[in-house]
Amino acid sequence: MPPGPAPVPALELDRYLGTWNQLAAVPQPFNLECARDTRAEYTLDPQGNIGVYNQCTTWSGGRNEIRGTAKVNDPATRAQLHVSFPGVPGQDGLDGPTNYIVTALAPDYSWALVTDPSRLSGFVLSRQAALDAPTWDVVRGAIETAGQSPCMYLTSPTTGGLSDIRPLCLR
């Protein structure tokens, strides 16, 4: 098996904290309920870990949400973390293997690409609800650099952004 995707050289956690909009993702069982406006909010908790609050609007118009914790597994780059969610099988312990790697990041922290060591998950995150066409080109290149295909990613509808779901390679 090839080595996992490379993390960004250095992640400034204080700049990474805050709200991110999911603009595209590799489909996963936990996000199938989400119809639009999927967001992640990252805050620093009292133990120095990252509090995770994920939420979205469901197909029926309701809200789906989950809270968890992310712990840095790589003190050199700070870009490889273990994200845990209480009650989620395989992700319910604070300590564990890396399952969240920031593999690409805009210099101004306006967008990020996240995957895992096996490359089976992936998320395009943005501070805004939309990206312009040149930025999408950069993101698609970052996905390929991480060893994934943009066709694995489906766009995520957001208020003020894309309204349809389609493979990112067709955007």
Side-chain angles (χ1 to χ4, degrees):
M1 184 169 161
V8 294
L11 180 68
E12 296 176 44
L13 286 179
D14 59 329
R15 292 182 68 195
Y16 197 73
L17 299 175
T19 301
W20 291 93
N21 297 284
Q22 177 184 294
L23 301 189
V26 175
Q28 300 291 320
F30 59 80
N31 63 16
L32 294 178
E33 276 190 63
C34 296
R36 63 181 313 101
D37 297 324
T38 302
R39 291 187 182 91
E41 184 176 340
Y42 302 132
T43 56
L44 198 59
D45 76 13
Q47 293 74 39
N49 295 316
I50 299 166
V52 177
Y53 175 56
N54 293 343
Q55 63 177 321
C56 70
T57 301
T58 65
W59 295 99
S60 62
R63 177 157 314 284
N64 186 12
E65 59 186 16
I66 190 169
R67 292 184 184 275
T69 305
K71 187 172 183 179
V72 173
N73 277 353
D74 173 9
T77 69
R78 301 181 65 88
Q80 298 186 83
L81 303 99
H82 173 73
V83 181
S84 60
F85 294 101
V88 175
Q91 286 192 311
D92 54 357
L94 182 60
D95 294 308
T98 295
N99 60 6
Y100 185 107
I101 303 171
V102 180
T103 61
L105 185 62
D108 64 356
Y109 284 60
S110 60
W111 65 266
L113 176 66
V114 177
T115 187
D116 67 90
S118 65
R119 298 180 177 90
L120 295 177
S121 71
F123 305 93
V124 175
L125 306 175
S126 173
R127 298 295 189 178
Q128 303 300 318
L131 297 176
D132 60 22
T135 304
W136 273 119
D137 289 341
V138 172
V139 168
R140 279 190 290 275
I143 290 169
E144 290 171 352
T145 298
Q148 293 178 302
S149 166
C151 295
M152 292 174 52
Y153 285 74
L154 297 182
T155 56
S156 302
T158 56
T159 301
L162 298 174
S163 60
D164 62 339
I165 299 171
R166 68 172 65 180
L168 192 51
C169 60
L170 301 179
R171 266 271 153 236

